[in-house]
């Protein structure tokens, strides 16, 4: 079960299985079409064999240990067996076979995982010029369509299949690419442990908020928080339990602010709350409300005398560095007061 979850996060694996289903479906359709149109037996058998192989690859690739073997055999069969056999048993370039070769080469290139595996799609590039020339050298090997209408129908059907395959695959890849970029962006701005914004994002947001305040006249308030005596938790309960406590505190901060406020982990047991468009007196009101939950949180660890201390600063007339510096100074005044009162 775990192996399947890992595979399903691999884009190539998902595309590979999709291609198998798609190819198997097309093989089934072609088998029926060949039978109805009374095409040569070799065409019917080729479609049936392709359908059987797709069923085999689909169930075989469901096992993580056998996925690589399934994928390599898929690459080998389509580049080294299907291409020459399919081309030599078709009307060649007079049919839609070149379209199908382009589609197959595209499919193989997308699911290639290791550099050496590019030999399979590249082998198709090497084979095709020889197969084109064989139509001149051995014309008797290629049975031309006797009906122009039949040829156009064949071209129409296969051209549609090829274009849809390329478009749908490209759409899928682009969607995954966007999801991956979004994930990478989220990881780059979030703190790994707490899920709050990290210091890098905080500094950028602080700069942007300061520029906005100067442009619009809407000041903001910033709070620098510290979990005092947190070292005792790590020393007595271990860092794993300390991490859990930091995560619990972060959840309180995240849920205790407005959706347009910002909560960030500055480092260690230090946090920042940024309240845009908020005057100092209003910021204090928000912080005092939040303090109710913070004190309840600290009571659960009363044996360590935990306390959430904070220092405030506002943006009026200060640079981002000065804002942080003032909040930091006020924080340490709070910590000093807390320690003197607990003696």
């Amino acid at each position: 079960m775990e192996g399947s979850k890992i595979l399903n996060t691999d884009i190539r694996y998902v595309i590979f299985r999709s291609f198998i289903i798609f190819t198997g479906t097309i093989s089934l359709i072609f088998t029926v079409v060949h039978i109805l149109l009374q095409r040569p037996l070799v065409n019917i058998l080729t479609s049936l064999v392709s359908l059987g192989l797709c069923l085999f690859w689909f169930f075989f690739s469901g096992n993580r240990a056998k996925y690589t073997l399934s994928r390599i055999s898929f690459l080998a069969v389509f580049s080294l067996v299907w291409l020459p056999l399919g081309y030599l048993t078709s009307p060649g370039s007079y049919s839609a076979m070149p379209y199908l070769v382009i589609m197959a080469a595209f499919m193989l290139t997308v699911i290639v995982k290791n550099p050496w595996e590019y030999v399979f799609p590249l082998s198709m590039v090497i084979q095709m010029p020889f197969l084109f020339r064989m139509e001149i050298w051995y014309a008797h090997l290629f049975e031309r369509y006797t009906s122009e209408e039949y040829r156009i129908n064949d071209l129409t059907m296969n051209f549609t299949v090829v274009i849809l395959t390329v478009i749908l695959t490209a759409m899928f890849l682009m969607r995954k690419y966007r999801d991956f970029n979004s994930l990478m962006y989220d990881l780059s701005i979030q703190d790994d442990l707490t899920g709050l914004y990290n210091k890098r994002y905080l500094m950028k947001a602080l700069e942007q908020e300061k520029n906005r305040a100067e442009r619009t006249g809407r000041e903001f308030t910033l709070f620098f928080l510290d979990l005092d005596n947190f070292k005792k938790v790590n020393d007595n309960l271990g860092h794993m339990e300390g991490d859990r406590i930091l995560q619990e505190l972060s959840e309180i901060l995240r849920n205790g602010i407005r959706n347009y406020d910002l909560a960030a982990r500055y480092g260690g047991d230090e946090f920042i709350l940024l309240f845009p468009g908020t005057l100092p007196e209003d910021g204090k009101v928000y912080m005092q409300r939040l303090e109710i939950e913070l004190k309840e949180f600290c009571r659960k660890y009363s044996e360590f005398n935990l306390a959430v201390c904070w220092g405030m600063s506002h943006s009026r007339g200060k640079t981002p560095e000065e804002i942080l510096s003032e909040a930091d100074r006020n924080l340490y005044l709070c910590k000093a007061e807390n320690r003197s009162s607990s003696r």
Side-chain angles (χ1 to χ4, degrees):
M1 181 65 70
E2 189 64 29
S4 298
K5 290 181 179 178
I6 294 174
L7 282 176
N8 286 327
T9 62
D10 185 343
I11 295 177
R12 291 187 185 89
Y13 175 75
V14 176
I15 292 177
F16 175 58
R17 299 266 286 183
S18 301
F19 279 160
I20 291 174
I21 295 173
F22 177 78
T23 305
T25 303
I26 294 300
S27 299
L28 178 61
I29 293 173
F30 280 4
T31 300
V32 175
V33 171
H34 290 329
I35 293 174
L36 293 177
L37 297 178
Q38 298 181 340
R39 292 295 307 280
L41 181 61
V42 66
N43 297 115
I44 299 174
L45 292 176
T46 301
S47 297
L48 284 173
V49 170
S50 177
L51 175 60
L53 284 171
C54 287
L55 291 172
F56 169 77
W57 283 320
F58 183 80
F59 291 108
F60 205 60
S61 62
N63 186 306
R64 186 185 178 195
K66 298 175 181 177
Y67 162 53
T68 299
L69 179 60
S70 179
R71 186 173 51 80
I72 297 299
S73 63
F74 180 88
L75 292 168
V77 167
F78 268 88
S79 61
L80 304 178
V81 179
W82 170 82
L83 174 55
L85 181 62
Y87 202 90
L88 293 172
T89 57
S90 75
S93 60
Y94 192 72
S95 69
M97 191 65 191
Y99 295 156
L100 297 177
V101 173
I102 293 173
M103 178 184 71
F106 172 76
M107 290 166 58
L108 299 192
T109 303
V110 170
I111 66 172
V112 160
K113 193 169 186 178
N114 302 303
W116 70 268
E117 295 171 13
Y118 283 105
V119 69
F120 294 111
L122 288 175
S123 72
M124 304 181 81
V125 178
I126 297 172
Q127 292 177 69
M128 279 306 296
F130 288 100
L131 292 171
F132 282 140
R133 302 308 299 176
M134 285 190 70
E135 290 189 53
I136 298 175
W137 299 334
Y138 305 99
H140 62 281
L141 294 176
F142 299 89
E143 180 185 352
R144 303 291 187 183
Y145 289 127
T146 56
S147 169
E148 188 69 16
E149 181 181 357
Y150 185 92
R151 185 180 74 88
I152 294 299
N153 289 339
D154 181 67
L155 289 171
T156 302
M157 178 177 67
N158 286 284
F159 177 81
T160 303
V161 168
V162 171
I163 291 298
L164 283 176
T165 301
V166 173
I167 291 175
L168 292 175
T169 303
M171 289 173 60
F172 175 81
L173 288 174
M174 290 306 297
R175 183 170 65 83
K176 288 295 182 181
Y177 178 73
R178 287 194 298 269
D179 292 345
F180 178 77
N181 275 355
S182 177
L183 174 62
M184 290 299 101
Y185 176 73
D186 289 342
L187 291 176
S188 71
I189 65 174
Q190 288 179 349
D191 175 64
D192 291 340
L193 176 65
T194 63
L196 300 180
Y197 290 115
N198 57 25
K199 183 178 179 180
R200 184 190 303 111
Y201 182 82
L202 166 70
M203 299 308 294
K204 182 179 178 181
L206 183 57
E207 184 73 34
Q208 291 175 340
E209 197 59 41
K210 178 59 181 175
N211 292 338
R212 184 181 295 111
E214 291 178 351
R215 192 171 60 250
T216 63
R218 296 181 72 235
E219 302 296 333
F220 63 89
T221 302
L222 180 143
F223 290 89
F224 209 139
L225 290 80
D226 178 277
L227 186 56
D228 203 18
N229 296 319
F230 178 68
K231 187 176 182 299
K232 293 181 181 179
V233 175
N234 285 333
D235 291 343
N236 289 273
L237 301 181
H239 287 82
M240 294 293 289
E241 181 63 15
D243 287 348
R244 190 198 63 76
I245 290 175
L246 288 178
Q247 290 171 337
E248 185 180 350
L249 173 59
S250 300
E251 191 66 21
I252 294 173
L253 297 179
R254 182 186 296 108
N255 295 332
I257 60 177
R258 300 164 298 185
N259 58 6
Y260 52 86
D261 296 331
L262 184 147
R265 186 186 182 196
Y266 192 77
D269 58 353
E270 296 177 325
F271 299 85
I272 297 287
L273 295 181
L274 179 63
F275 294 92
T278 304
L279 296 174
E281 51 271 26
D282 294 326
K284 284 184 179 180
V285 172
Y286 296 139
M287 198 64 211
Q288 287 166 357
R289 291 174 184 170
L290 188 58
E291 264 194 323
I292 297 174
E293 284 192 68
L294 294 175
K295 288 180 178 179
E296 185 65 30
F297 160 78
C298 291
R299 285 194 195 98
K300 294 194 295 184
Y301 308 100
S302 57
E303 66 271 28
F304 303 113
N305 198 30
L306 289 184
V308 177
C309 300
W310 53 269
M312 186 190 74
S313 179
H314 62 89
S315 59
R316 191 178 303 120
K318 304 183 188 71
T319 66
E321 291 75 18
E322 290 171 340
I323 295 170
L324 281 173
S325 180
E326 182 182 58
D328 191 35
R329 287 195 303 271
N330 291 331
L331 166 65
Y332 277 90
L333 290 175
C334 176
K335 291 178 69 172
E337 181 181 342
N338 175 68
R339 289 174 182 175
S340 62
S341 64
S342 61
R343 288 173 184 170

